[in-house]
Amino acid sequence: MAEIHLKSLAHSYFPNPATSADYAIREMDHVWHQGGAYALLGPSGCGKSTLLNIISGLLQPSEGEVLFDKVRVNEMPPKERNIAQVFQFPVVYDSMTVYDNLAFPLRNAKVPEARVRAKVNEVAEILELHEVLHNKARNLSADEKQKVSMGRGLVRDDVSAILFDEPLTVIDPHLKWKLRRKLKQIHEQFNITMIYVTHDQLEASTFADKIAVMYGGQIVQFGTPRELFESPNHTFVGFFIGSPGMNLIEVRRSEGGVSFDDIQIPLSDELNAYLADIPSYNLKIGIRPEFVHVWDKPVDDAYATELISHEDLGTHKILTLRLGNQSIKARLDEDRELPEGKVYISFPQQWVKLYVDEFLIEERS
Amino acid sequence: MNKTENNKAWFLVLPVFVLVAFSAVIPLMTVVNYSVQDIFDQNNAYFVGAEWFREVLRDPRLHDSLLRQFIYSFAVLAIEIPLGIGVALMMPTKGRMASLCLILLAIPLLIPWNVVGTIWQIFGRGDIGLFGAALNGLGIDYNYASNPADAWATVLLIDVWHWTSLVALLCYSGLRAIPEAFYQAAEIDRASKWAVFRYIQLPRLKSVLVIGVLLRFMDSFMIYTEPFVLTGGGPGNSTTFLSQTLTKMAVGQFDLGPAAAFSLVYFLIVLLVSWLFFTTITHMDKAK
């Protein structure tokens, strides 16, 4: 049980990193609170697994500190950190039975055999492994093996945290859902800190209370699934979360707001005042397809767009529209008819987000 | 799927058939033929049934060399297998040192048996051999030509020097095939070094070790050249192993009948031991 604090942590696989591109993890400060269910979400190669291995101690960070309950653990091997980690591909000790596999971490710590038996049976029950408990682990199916791998993490109820590195990749879709629920239950039951690495936003939002989105070796946003959806604070989060992702349009400053291709987007006074002061020219606006308002008829301050294509996804339609030279996605509810000819859309001001140098400019009001 | 019957296909198998017949089947059958006949000259051969087998199995000379042979092979395995595993575990896994180690280990394997025998014959001499002279200089009375224990130790040492590399290389390749994730998982599971060896490395070395044990057993069981070059099987008969006894019998005394019976028994022993070993191991695998 521990609070895990990553203090000015950075890591490079090169001995003498020169540029920021040499870093797998760029300097970050982050706290994982005791008992939280967290997801670490990001594309392949963004440093998720590196970060996980640093927390568990398989990897020593080249800079900064890892603190468990305010104690520096950088030099501690995983053994002493008392942390469990489940890997992407199932690791079972195939000469042992399922029972011995689950008992292995406890026996290594010299836990009395009676307690081992109780714990193993408890975990086998939760993971529905009791039927194969005395079979050799090598004869198990891929998802049973992964359950055994997870089980080895879960038998240790005194662990500081359990780290999952995309544990459900090899699992059948219908079992995935079941196992994810199971993890959630276990989390509620034992109140262990869990960090769950994934590149699947659905997996992240069903498992975790809070999601850390990683991009380019940094945690760009840490928040609830709803926060990530409604106000992504980095263009990457906007693009990565949601299906399809946020519409992001490069814009220039103009009178009373911003513009692109002679199309004016008005902004609030607060944002306009802010824009007047900053030197950067890397300006973008973002709006979620879900928040683009599609009108049936022309109205004031709606933009006329051309319909390029549409996808019918059953519960809703996704329209691809052309505004100026930009393509814009908009969501249309299923009961709405596909508009003919020009499509009129507007951007409700509260959902238009402004990004300067890829980061969100937050409005106070 | 429909199979087309075409007996012409047999012609395609014919070359292999002929080759195997000439190189293995006919010689083997000739041996079988010899083993049941008493041959005086080309035109005088009498069928004697199992007589030669009976004689051979009662021959005390053969009992002695068979016992010696088993002890020798067992000793070879008992030393080379653990030593080979140990060497493989200690070898560096990457970089220049790994390549260097591989080359050094491969060198003994490239040297022919009789050369190895000759090297040690000179190396072990008390007067001009570095090894023998060094031992004598240290006050250890070592002389492989007159002391049976020294001769035995030398023949064993030769084999260990020559073939431990093979076991080490096999194990090294087996160890390299273990994914890094297993070591990481073991570290997370707080496994000790011994537990890592016992539950991760050893089980995954099993298949290469089976091959290693079989190769080293069969090879050491038919050892001939090294003791022959070193002492000619002496002193006395102390390093006369089965193959040398057989050779003496067949081409020394020209006792073709008993020699043929003996070589069949020899063949069956190797086959039986290898089969027993192999089936035991595979059965252990199948048990759940």
Side-chain angles (χ1 to χ4, degrees):
Chain A
M1 309 279 159
E3 176 195 276
I4 299 169
H5 185 180
L6 309 175
K7 200 170 158 193
S8 0
L9 185 84
H11 185 74
S12 171
Y13 287 103
F14 302 102
N16 297 306
T19 65
S20 65
D22 289 344
Y23 282 91
I25 303 281
R26 290 199 231 161
E27 185 167 327
M28 64 163 76
D29 264 290
H30 193 79
V31 179
W32 309 97
H33 292 288
Q34 148 60 22
Y38 299 110
L40 196 52
L41 180 66
S44 307
C46 70
K48 294 174 304 214
S49 298
T50 305
L51 190 61
L52 216 56
N53 289 343
I54 287 174
I55 296 172
S56 68
L58 291 172
L59 206 61
Q60 287 214 358
S62 45
E63 290 160 38
E65 289 186 305
V66 183
L67 307 171
F68 281 22
D69 285 333
K70 308 204 164 44
V71 179
R72 178 183 159 106
V73 296
N74 280 37
E75 286 76 25
M76 265 191 208
K79 221 183 267 190
E80 288 161 37
R81 292 193 193 189
N82 197 13
I83 208 156
Q85 187 172 1
V86 180
F87 299 92
Q88 184 171 8
F89 295 101
V91 176
V92 296
Y93 306 117
D94 36 17
S95 60
M96 297 190 216
T97 62
V98 171
Y99 182 94
D100 291 334
N101 258 282
L102 296 177
F104 191 61
L106 299 177
R107 285 177 180 160
N108 285 331
K110 309 264 188 301
V111 173
E113 202 58 25
R115 171 122 184 90
V116 170
R117 196 174 320 124
K119 266 327 277 189
V120 168
N121 283 323
E122 181 187 349
V123 167
E125 202 68 35
I126 295 172
L127 292 174
E128 294 170 18
L129 282 171
H130 44 275
E131 276 173 31
V132 292
L133 203 51
H134 296 286
N135 291 11
K136 275 262 195 253
R138 93 179 77 210
N139 302 327
L140 300 178
S141 62
D143 40 74
E144 282 171 327
K145 281 185 183 172
Q146 190 61 310
K147 285 205 264 181
V148 172
S149 296
M150 285 190 192
R152 283 205 315 272
L154 300 172
V155 285
R156 298 164 56 180
D157 51 7
D158 60 333
V159 287
S160 314
I162 306 183
L163 314 176
F164 299 93
D165 193 352
E166 307 201 30
L168 301 180
T169 311
V170 292
I171 309 276
D172 272 355
H174 71 283
L175 261 171
K176 250 185 197 172
W177 186 80
K178 231 171 111 179
L179 277 176
R180 213 157 46 217
R181 281 200 44 118
K182 208 127 246 172
L183 286 180
K184 190 103 192 166
Q185 280 170 14
I186 292 165
H187 176 252
E188 281 155 15
Q189 204 173 334
F190 297 110
N191 191 34
I192 301 174
T193 313
M194 290 187 176
I195 303 176
Y196 188 104
V197 163
T198 176
H199 60 250
D200 180 342
Q201 49 172 303
L202 189 73
E203 215 168 275
S205 49
T206 48
F207 172 81
D209 309 328
K210 277 186 123 182
I211 299 175
V213 181
M214 268 193 95
Y215 175 64
Q218 270 181 312
I219 293 179
V220 287
Q221 188 166 11
F222 183 55
T224 62
R226 189 191 167 104
E227 283 165 0
L228 297 184
F229 184 78
E230 288 185 353
S231 49
N233 66 7
H234 187 277
T235 51
F236 173 77
V237 180
F239 156 80
F240 194 68
I241 306 278
S243 168
M246 196 177 221
N247 294 305
L248 290 162
I249 306 165
E250 273 183 53
V251 292
R252 278 174 287 116
R253 260 169 267 242
S254 67
E255 193 66 38
V258 290
S259 70
F260 66 95
D261 303 333
D262 295 332
I263 290 158
Q264 285 287 330
I265 310 278
L267 294 174
S268 67
D269 296 341
E270 189 190 338
L271 285 179
N272 277 327
Y274 182 87
L275 266 185
D277 292 345
I278 52 155
S280 175
Y281 285 95
N282 180 3
L283 306 179
K284 281 180 184 155
I285 55 159
I287 181 164
R288 293 253 174 225
E290 289 80 356
F291 299 141
V292 173
H293 197 114
V294 181
W295 299 90
D296 294 325
K297 51 185 195 301
V299 290
D300 282 350
D301 59 272
Y303 307 100
T305 63
E306 257 175 87
L307 182 64
I308 300 169
S309 64
H310 74 281
E311 291 167 76
D312 198 331
L313 299 176
T315 56
H316 60 272
K317 294 189 184 77
I318 297 294
L319 310 182
T320 306
L321 308 164
R322 184 181 295 132
L323 178 59
N325 289 320
Q326 295 286 337
S327 112
I328 305 241
K329 304 242 186 228
R331 177 182 153 136
L332 194 63
D333 288 334
E334 182 58 7
D335 52 353
R336 299 266 310 265
E337 283 295 313
L338 203 61
E340 285 182 33
K342 293 273 182 204
V343 181
Y344 294 91
I345 58 171
S346 65
F347 302 141
Q349 204 170 61
Q350 87 221 64
W351 298 122
V352 176
K353 303 289 171 186
L354 176 68
Y355 293 91
V356 176
D357 291 334
E358 312 299 333
F359 282 93
L360 176 71
I361 302 307
E362 270 176 86
E363 289 176 272
R364 279 175 234 305
S365 47
Chain B
M1 210 176 87
N2 273 331
K3 272 192 187 161
T4 319
E5 285 282 338
N6 187 347
N7 284 327
K8 279 183 198 144
W10 288 108
F11 283 109
L12 299 177
V13 188
L14 198 65
V16 176
F17 192 77
V18 170
L19 204 69
V20 172
F22 267 90
S23 65
V25 179
I26 294 175
L28 186 66
M29 286 305 124
T30 314
V31 172
V32 173
N33 191 26
Y34 284 169
S35 73
V36 292
Q37 298 190 65
D38 194 356
I39 299 169
F40 293 100
D41 58 49
Q42 261 183 332
N43 303 316
N44 280 307
Y46 299 95
F47 182 74
V48 294
E51 182 57 37
W52 295 134
F53 286 91
R54 241 172 269 137
E55 191 187 306
V56 158
L57 291 176
R58 281 199 209 102
D59 186 344
R61 263 194 316 162
L62 290 183
H63 291 175
D64 288 352
S65 55
L66 183 65
L67 183 67
R68 234 175 266 137
Q69 186 69 70
F70 269 115
I71 295 173
Y72 178 73
S73 286
F74 184 78
V76 160
L77 291 178
I79 298 171
E80 288 179 15
I81 299 295
L83 191 60
I85 296 173
V87 170
L89 285 174
M90 283 187 296
M91 276 172 69
T93 54
K94 43 178 153 314
R96 253 160 217 262
M97 282 306 285
S99 322
L100 188 70
C101 285
L102 286 176
I103 293 169
L104 286 178
L105 279 179
I107 287 174
L109 301 177
L110 299 173
I111 304 175
W113 289 260
N114 54 345
V115 176
V116 173
T118 313
I119 289 173
W120 280 83
Q121 197 220 358
I122 296 168
F123 192 45
R125 276 174 63 162
D127 49 356
I128 56 165
L130 182 62
F131 180 63
L135 283 182
N136 287 335
L138 287 171
I140 300 164
D141 184 25
Y142 167 84
N143 186 345
Y144 63 76
S146 62
N147 186 343
D150 291 351
W152 255 84
T154 311
V155 175
L156 262 179
L157 200 58
I158 292 176
D159 204 271
V160 170
W161 181 86
H162 199 177
W163 292 110
T164 302
S165 292
L166 178 74
V167 181
L169 290 177
L170 281 171
C171 290
Y172 184 74
S173 71
L175 287 173
R176 292 291 77 72
I178 302 174
E180 185 59 29
F182 279 83
Y183 295 112
Q184 293 186 335
E187 216 175 319
I188 295 288
D189 289 339
R190 302 179 283 195
S192 62
K193 274 203 159 152
W194 165 250
V196 169
F197 174 70
R198 172 67 190 79
Y199 297 111
I200 297 174
Q201 293 173 322
L202 198 57
R204 299 206 150 224
L205 283 181
K206 199 157 108 189
S207 51
V208 291
L209 281 177
V210 168
I211 293 175
V213 168
L214 277 180
L215 280 178
R216 285 319 303 138
F217 167 72
M218 290 192 290
D219 243 11
S220 64
F221 206 75
M222 57 185 210
I223 184 170
Y224 177 81
T225 321
E226 292 92 329
F228 184 75
V229 172
L230 192 71
T231 60
N237 272 334
S238 59
T239 57
T240 304
F241 296 111
L242 277 182
S243 60
Q244 209 180 330
T245 315
L246 175 62
T247 315
K248 268 187 203 161
M249 199 188 274
V251 290
Q253 302 158 357
F254 231 68
D255 282 338
L256 288 187
F262 179 36
S263 64
L264 286 177
V265 172
Y266 196 172
F267 171 65
L268 289 176
I269 292 173
V270 175
L271 202 63
L272 183 73
V273 173
S274 304
W275 179 80
L276 275 178
F277 175 73
F278 193 74
T279 12
T280 325
I281 295 288
T282 34
H283 265 267
M284 270 162 55
D285 265 3
K286 273 185 202 140
K288 64 166 193 168

